[in-house]
Amino acid sequence: MTTGLHREARRTAFILACAQAIVGAGTPIAISMGGLAGSYLLAADKSLATAPITGFNVGVALAALPAAALMRAVGRRNGLMAGSLATSVGGAVAAFALFQTSFWLFALGLLFIGSGNAFLQQYRFAAVDNAPADFKPKAISWVLGGGVFAAIIGPQLAIFTRELFDPVMFAGAFMSVIGLGIAGVFILSFLRLPKDAPSAQLDDHLSARPLSQILRQPRFLVALLCGVGTFALMSFVMTGAPLAMVGCGFSPDEATMGISWHVVAMYAPSFVTGSLIARFGKERIIAAGLMLLVGCAIVALSGIALWQFWFALILLGVGWNFGFIGATAMVADCYRSSERNKVQGVHDFLLFSSVAFSSLMSGRVYNAFGWEMLNWVIFPVVGICLVALVLLALRSRLRTA
């Protein structure tokens, strides 16, 4: 029985990893091109250049709860396929907006891509729901590991298609997002996700608790804080990085390659992060991720050579990986199978609302105070998260003493 559960869990994780590689390639395109295209569409005042990326993150936040509700109604498989179609629609709207030179329509297009990304964020939960307890961290790692290929596919598509419809810059890159979403629908059609996964039956006899009771758990609150802190800082620095690189005289292609290295660093450690969590524990891996974010800030503040931008972005990506996977695994400890949809939806709504705000503030802070200030912000946020982890550990020791 256990062997069959593991086999099915691996199959599910593999399919979701493939979908992550294809549909997820739209994310680095939106992030690397969104701010540059926004700046291209604006007049003299560039302070809203990152607003389209904010639109992307707002789309993730706004769609988080509807995505969970839709999948509860029609099943994970059909819901995830609908999310892929939303990604395609977003690519079409963004490309059309560039042809029309409409800044706010372009932001709307990225909002649609972001709404598709809300379903993409559910891949990790879908893999966990179908996995035995000992495979859960690895299932998350496998799915996010598909992002390594997304990190290669997305930026390369952006570089080769950015000028495809010259003189309408960036339109080709967003046209390619249409194909990525459609390919994702095909891949996801191979999923076998029963409404009640075998692993979910283990606590079916337990009634679902009120949402407020689940959210008040200290472990959930610390996991949410660390997840939000890690993801918001990553978005805050990453969103401003292409603008900073171009502002320092580097080309858009060099800025895009910087984002490519960053996204590779976000997902490449996923092949071992699950094993590291199993060996050292979730809290220690989160703490390691937070310290890597500090390392990113130190490198970024040391100078503005291209290697410093790229190396800082690599550290930012690895730090995100450890912090986010660890926090996601902690969240999975806090709910029962009967509670998963509502908790996952609320979690992602809170998470991506914060990420949307951070991406909007990135452009404003960069224009007002420069690249250095984007990195100074890392220190106090990391400090708060580390204190929360220490307090949680002390609380756990007191309870077991």
Side-chain angles (χ1 to χ4, degrees):
M1 182 67 173
T2 302
T3 302
L5 288 177
H6 280 80
R7 187 185 304 114
E8 189 63 27
R10 289 187 177 93
R11 181 183 185 278
T12 298
F14 176 74
I15 293 172
L16 290 169
C18 292
Q20 176 85 33
I22 300 302
V23 185
T27 297
I29 292 175
I31 298 300
S32 63
M33 297 286 101
L36 297 176
S39 181
Y40 163 77
L41 291 170
L42 289 170
D45 183 4
K46 307 292 187 181
S47 61
L48 289 175
T50 60
I53 300 178
T54 300
F56 173 89
N57 289 314
V58 167
V60 180
L62 291 179
L65 292 174
L70 178 63
M71 284 183 282
R72 187 163 57 248
V74 303
R76 288 276 198 197
R77 175 177 171 273
N78 293 332
L80 295 179
M81 290 169 69
S84 265
L85 287 177
T87 299
S88 291
V89 171
V93 172
F96 179 74
L98 287 163
F99 281 107
Q100 298 298 312
T101 62
S102 172
F103 176 81
W104 291 112
L105 184 61
F106 177 70
L108 179 64
L110 264 68
L111 185 145
F112 279 116
I113 297 176
S115 68
N117 193 268
F119 290 84
L120 192 75
Q121 297 303 321
Q122 292 287 324
Y123 289 6
R124 69 191 194 278
F125 288 128
V128 166
D129 293 341
N130 258 355
D134 63 333
F135 187 67
K136 288 180 185 292
K138 290 185 179 180
I140 297 171
S141 294
W142 281 30
V143 173
L144 293 184
V148 175
F149 299 97
I152 298 170
I153 295 168
Q156 291 303 313
L157 274 176
I159 290 171
F160 287 111
T161 61
R162 180 168 59 89
E163 300 179 359
L164 188 62
F165 296 100
D166 188 38
V168 182
M169 297 295 292
F170 310 109
F174 288 95
M175 290 287 284
S176 68
V177 175
I178 302 172
L180 292 173
I182 293 172
V185 172
F186 174 75
I187 295 170
L188 292 167
S189 68
F190 290 96
L191 282 174
R192 292 195 301 253
L193 296 176
K195 288 187 176 181
D196 293 309
S199 58
Q201 295 172 2
L202 296 176
D203 64 10
D204 278 351
H205 65 284
L206 300 174
S207 60
R209 295 166 293 175
L211 182 61
S212 59
Q213 180 182 343
I214 301 168
L215 301 186
R216 286 198 306 267
Q217 296 174 94
R219 187 169 181 80
F220 178 87
L221 292 173
V222 173
L224 177 64
L225 174 65
C226 292
V228 166
T230 300
F231 214 136
L233 284 176
M234 186 276 291
S235 176
F236 186 69
V237 176
M238 176 189 65
T239 300
L243 296 174
M245 281 187 275
V246 171
C248 289
F250 301 109
S251 70
D253 285 352
E254 288 171 318
T256 301
M257 284 305 300
I259 296 298
S260 179
W261 282 112
H262 166 69
V263 179
V264 168
M266 285 173 64
Y267 293 110
S270 298
F271 296 109
V272 298
T273 305
S275 298
L276 291 174
I277 289 174
R279 181 173 180 180
F280 298 106
K282 305 174 184 72
E283 293 83 354
R284 290 181 181 177
I285 296 303
I286 294 172
L290 292 168
M291 294 309 300
L292 285 168
L293 297 183
V294 171
C296 158
I298 292 172
V299 172
L301 291 168
S302 68
I304 55 172
L306 186 61
W307 75 266
Q308 288 164 313
F309 277 110
W310 284 11
F311 187 36
L313 286 169
I314 289 171
L315 291 175
L316 183 70
V318 178
W320 173 88
N321 181 280
F322 284 4
F324 186 56
I325 292 181
T328 299
M330 276 183 70
V331 169
D333 292 340
C334 299
Y335 59 81
R336 302 166 183 165
S337 298
S338 56
E339 301 161 345
R340 66 193 184 197
N341 284 314
K342 62 182 179 182
V343 176
Q344 291 164 4
V346 170
H347 173 271
D348 278 4
F349 173 75
L350 295 172
L351 174 70
F352 288 103
S353 295
S354 303
V355 171
F357 178 74
S358 71
S359 64
L360 178 62
M361 293 306 298
S362 178
R364 291 189 171 275
V365 171
Y366 172 73
N367 278 279
F369 304 106
W371 169 242
E372 292 81 6
M373 184 56 70
L374 292 179
N375 291 280
W376 279 113
V377 171
I378 289 176
F379 295 100
V381 177
V382 166
I384 293 170
C385 293
L386 287 174
V387 168
L389 281 172
V390 170
L391 291 176
L392 182 67
L394 291 174
R395 182 178 184 273
S396 298
R397 288 183 183 179
L398 289 174
R399 292 185 67 181
T400 56

